[in-house]
Amino acid sequence: QRGYHGPIYMTPPTKAICPILLEDYRKITVERKGETGFFTSQHIKDCMKKVVPLHLHETVWVDDELELRAYYAGHVLGAAMVYARCGSESVVYTGDYNMTPDRHLGAAWIDKVRPDVLITETTYGTTIRDSKRARERDFLEKVHSCVARGGKVLIPCFALGRAQELCILIETYWERMGLTVPVYFSAGLTEKANRYYKLFINWTNQKVKESFVDRNPFDFKYIKPWNRDYVDLPGPMVLFATPGMLHIGTSLETFRKWAPDERNMLIMPGYCVAGTVGAKVLSGMKVVDIDQYTQVHVNIDVQNLSFSAHADAKGIMELIRQASPRNVVLVHGEKSRMTYLKSKIMSEFGCPCYDPANGELLEIQTGQDVRALMSDQLFRTSWEMEQKRRQESSSSNSSAQGEAATPITQMPVRGILLLGDGKRMTRLLDPSEFDLDAVPVVVSGNGSSEVEEASGTVAKEESGSSSVAVVPGQEGVDSLEGIVFNTRKVFDGASLAKRLGLPSEAADSEVSKAVLVAIRELLVLDPKTTPANNSPSDDSECVDRSAIVVGDSIRISVPQALDDYGLPTLNISWAWEEEELATRTLSIINRVLG
């Protein structure tokens, strides 16, 4: 209706359930409320034709620059958080998520994607919920005590998520206790949603998947569809009714009938927006206006047990810790709660945090990561320094002994950052690998390569620098001569001997020579990597057959001694000027070594 003709990305369960939700919403708005100019059933069908499935952890390129990736959100079936990157900037939009696994869904989780901006919901931004097991026990005890005294229990809940969660809880309890009191859920949308829970069982938690082998947990034995005629039946019963805020539908109709009886019980398991009947009842009002003509006296026992599928304050902080964003934006919450959570995030994570009003334009300055290959020498030096620091810290401070025993996951690094120019990769080097005073330095802004001194933190899975300062130097220099890179390739001699057709008892020195021969043969096949010592005269005794030279500076050799781990090794070195050729050569070496 608004003129959008592009793709719409949805997870497979969302794609299946979405038409049902939209049609239900349309019927309530048009057929019950009488609104005009609303979307039609045909609009829903046309909309769903544009949908493109987006699977969890799958990277989808919308165009040449924009990529999308979905992460499990644990809120309802099919819920996902979206990581989007365009160029060098990225954002994570959480939507609704739950960091605590429940009876049928798992907990939300995301990689350490380090987005420029994380936009997170804050529905329960200042709440830390108690033990889920204690809440479940309290819920079941209250339901059981009410039906035992002959009362009726009304549980308003949303058709997708809480209905299935609480139905599994009641079903398990009824079976364990051998109860015969009838339990109902409002037919229609909830019943349709249950079909998709059965279909997409792989989106549920591990316990549900394991029980699915014997019986689908969503094939309820004790819970039956609701009929409106049952509302006036005598005797105890339990009803799960939609919607969850008592503002319309089956839940409100049933509340009108059952509210005056003090034997009955109303259990509100979720959040209620201010102004709804649910919010008024929870605030303690004893007379509630259902509409402009109807008032209801509230004698029913009202209980509020939070089974919301939103993350609490602890869960929100945990997600921020997982994603490690540079900026955080808080949405979908009450202003007072957002303000408190904002100060908490800024003090704990030290990153900017924003809580904009609806419709407010937010401008955030973003930086740019520099991805670099870290030299072997710098990694070893930094690792040894971190180990030494931990040992010294533990010996002088008993409280730091635990740190010394834990694995190193990140460490400070101080090295030289060489920025590449497209053909040559950016590298992070140890200062001992070359004479910095003899290297010309180019000041930023003239388009040439640069040498910079970098100090920062390197995580185990990824290396980089968090802050960079340009080293003052000469201007107008086009190249960095005299810098030589070194790397090592350690390999399993026994497995390579088998691949190369050598005897299993072949010595490591024999395997190394055979590896050099194989590498030389592949290099010869590529005209750009033909070895410099491959002419007919190379068969003479004066030629070093334990090394291969490619170009002017690339040298592949076998060291006299084995590696630290007792495995045969190849040493490769090359000059900065031949970085592109060296990369081509290294790929050939990797093919031989497997």
Side-chain angles (χ1 to χ4, degrees):
Q1 279 184 302
R2 302 296 181 185
Y4 178 72
H5 300 290
I8 302 169
Y9 291 91
M10 295 182 183
T11 60
T14 303
K15 181 182 178 182
I17 296 170
C18 189
I20 301 172
L21 296 176
L22 289 174
E23 182 60 30
D24 185 71
Y25 177 41
R26 188 197 67 79
K27 283 182 179 179
I28 291 173
T29 306
V30 176
E31 297 177 9
R32 295 188 187 179
K33 293 185 178 181
E35 287 195 19
T36 57
F38 211 65
F39 60 78
T40 64
S41 297
Q42 186 58 45
H43 284 140
I44 296 174
K45 294 176 183 177
D46 294 339
C47 176
M48 297 308 298
K49 292 176 183 178
K50 303 174 184 177
V51 172
V52 179
L54 178 62
H55 299 276
L56 292 178
H57 306 290
E58 174 191 16
T59 299
V60 172
W61 289 90
V62 180
D63 54 27
D64 293 339
E65 289 188 304
L66 178 60
E67 64 172 291
L68 303 176
R69 196 182 312 144
Y71 289 93
Y72 191 80
H75 178 67
V76 293
L77 185 71
M81 300 179 284
V82 177
Y83 167 78
R85 171 176 285 276
C86 185
S88 61
E89 297 178 335
S90 60
V91 62
V92 169
Y93 186 82
T94 66
D96 292 337
Y97 63 97
N98 188 6
M99 297 296 288
T100 305
D102 56 27
R103 290 268 168 174
H104 72 300
L105 295 176
W109 176 87
I110 193 169
D111 288 320
K112 194 179 285 291
V113 291
R114 296 184 175 90
D116 293 303
V117 178
L118 170 71
I119 305 174
T120 175
E121 64 132 324
T122 55
T123 309
Y124 290 97
T126 57
T127 304
I128 296 180
R129 288 195 286 267
D130 55 359
S131 163
K132 193 168 187 301
R133 189 175 293 274
R135 270 181 286 134
E136 290 178 347
R137 183 174 62 248
D138 195 21
F139 168 77
L140 293 171
E141 287 175 353
K142 283 180 166 55
V143 171
H144 196 168
S145 65
C146 181
V147 297
R149 66 174 182 255
K152 297 177 173 63
V153 182
L154 173 62
I155 308 171
C157 56
F158 297 106
L160 193 64
R162 293 314 89 198
Q164 289 75 24
E165 166 79 358
L166 297 175
C167 280
I168 289 176
L169 188 59
I170 286 287
E171 175 85 2
T172 306
Y173 185 76
W174 250 237
E175 186 170 25
R176 186 170 72 247
M177 302 298 292
L179 299 178
T180 57
V181 175
V183 182
Y184 303 101
F185 63 81
S186 55
L189 188 56
T190 306
E191 192 172 13
K192 292 176 183 176
N194 283 348
R195 296 174 193 166
Y196 289 103
Y197 270 91
K198 297 175 186 178
L199 180 63
F200 294 102
I201 202 78
N202 59 314
W203 277 72
T204 58
N205 62 25
Q206 192 59 36
K207 188 174 182 180
V208 171
K209 292 174 187 174
E210 291 172 356
S211 64
F212 178 70
V213 177
D214 301 320
R215 181 177 71 90
N216 192 316
F218 298 104
D219 287 329
F220 299 121
K221 177 181 177 182
Y222 297 91
I223 304 173
K224 306 300 180 184
W226 171 255
N227 188 309
R228 290 185 179 182
D229 297 336
Y230 298 165
V231 72
D232 294 318
L233 290 178
M237 67 179 70
V238 179
L239 171 63
F240 295 97
T242 58
M245 298 189 190
L246 287 179
H247 59 286
I248 200 172
T250 304
S251 62
L252 183 59
E253 292 172 6
T254 307
F255 175 76
R256 290 172 60 181
K257 294 276 189 176
W258 292 0
D261 192 337
E262 61 184 14
R263 292 178 303 168
N264 298 336
M265 179 179 288
L266 171 69
I267 298 179
M268 300 295 293
Y271 180 81
C272 289
V273 173
T276 59
V277 174
K280 293 175 183 177
V281 171
L282 287 176
S283 68
M285 293 178 64
K286 289 301 181 181
V287 179
V288 176
D289 293 325
I290 300 297
D291 52 45
Q292 56 182 337
Y293 307 109
T294 311
Q295 280 188 336
V296 172
H297 291 272
V298 182
N299 297 321
I300 193 171
D301 183 9
V302 179
Q303 300 289 335
N304 183 17
L305 299 174
S306 176
F307 282 90
S308 174
H310 294 273
D312 61 4
K314 190 176 179 181
I316 294 170
M317 299 295 278
E318 176 59 27
L319 185 85
I320 295 172
R321 190 172 290 107
Q322 287 183 8
S324 190
R326 293 176 180 80
N327 300 273
V328 177
V329 177
L330 306 180
V331 297
H332 197 279
E334 296 177 7
K335 187 66 175 178
S336 58
R337 296 183 177 186
M338 295 165 91
T339 302
Y340 173 80
L341 186 62
K342 174 183 175 180
S343 61
K344 185 77 173 173
I345 291 170
M346 293 175 70
S347 62
E348 183 162 337
F349 298 104
C351 65
C353 186
Y354 309 87
D355 55 344
N358 288 342
E360 180 182 343
L361 178 64
L362 195 61
E363 294 186 5
I364 299 175
Q365 296 294 326
T366 60
Q368 184 174 353
D369 279 343
V370 177
R371 290 183 173 269
L373 290 178
M374 188 179 188
S375 75
D376 181 70
Q377 176 64 32
L378 180 57
F379 185 85
R380 283 176 172 240
T381 302
S382 303
W383 186 274
E384 290 167 0
M385 288 179 64
E386 178 64 13
Q387 284 184 318
K388 185 178 179 181
R389 184 196 67 79
R390 287 185 171 212
Q391 291 169 358
E392 291 175 350
S393 178
S394 62
S395 60
S396 61
N397 185 2
S398 58
S399 62
Q401 290 180 358
E403 181 193 26
T406 58
I408 298 175
T409 57
Q410 63 178 26
M411 60 189 180
V413 168
R414 187 170 182 83
I416 307 299
L417 186 67
L418 258 61
L419 297 183
D421 57 1
K423 295 182 179 179
R424 295 175 287 202
M425 287 183 278
T426 299
R427 294 185 173 275
L428 191 59
L429 307 175
D430 190 89
S432 65
E433 295 186 76
F434 57 87
D435 184 4
L436 184 59
D437 294 332
V439 176
V441 180
V442 180
V443 177
S444 300
N446 62 1
S448 302
S449 302
E450 304 173 3
V451 178
E452 298 181 353
E453 186 172 5
S455 60
T457 299
V458 174
K460 201 170 184 180
E461 71 273 10
E462 179 181 329
S463 60
S465 60
S466 60
S467 61
V468 177
V470 178
V471 179
Q474 307 169 30
E475 297 186 18
V477 182
D478 294 328
S479 63
L480 293 169
E481 300 177 357
I483 298 180
V484 176
F485 299 108
N486 293 279
T487 189
R488 302 175 307 149
K489 296 290 182 182
V490 182
F491 55 90
D492 182 353
S495 61
L496 263 177
K498 186 177 180 181
R499 282 180 54 202
L500 297 173
L502 298 176
S504 57
E505 65 275 4
D508 286 333
S509 59
E510 296 177 3
V511 176
S512 298
K513 290 179 182 178
V515 166
L516 278 183
V517 171
I519 291 172
R520 185 190 297 272
E521 290 176 354
L522 285 180
L523 290 172
V524 169
L525 294 176
D526 189 335
K528 291 188 177 181
T529 60
T530 301
N533 53 345
N534 195 56
S535 61
S537 60
D538 288 345
D539 292 330
S540 61
E541 296 181 2
C542 62
V543 175
D544 181 10
R545 305 301 297 178
S546 64
I548 301 173
V549 178
V550 179
D552 296 326
S553 65
I554 304 168
R555 181 179 173 84
I556 310 158
S557 61
V558 179
Q560 296 296 321
L562 296 176
D563 180 75
D564 296 342
Y565 300 101
L567 294 172
T569 310
L570 288 183
N571 285 345
I572 304 100
S573 63
W574 67 95
W576 170 256
E577 291 80 8
E578 292 191 298
E579 173 84 357
E580 189 177 11
L581 181 58
T583 303
R584 197 180 186 106
T585 304
L586 283 166
S587 66
I588 292 175
I589 295 172
N590 288 334
R591 284 169 57 192
V592 175
L593 299 181

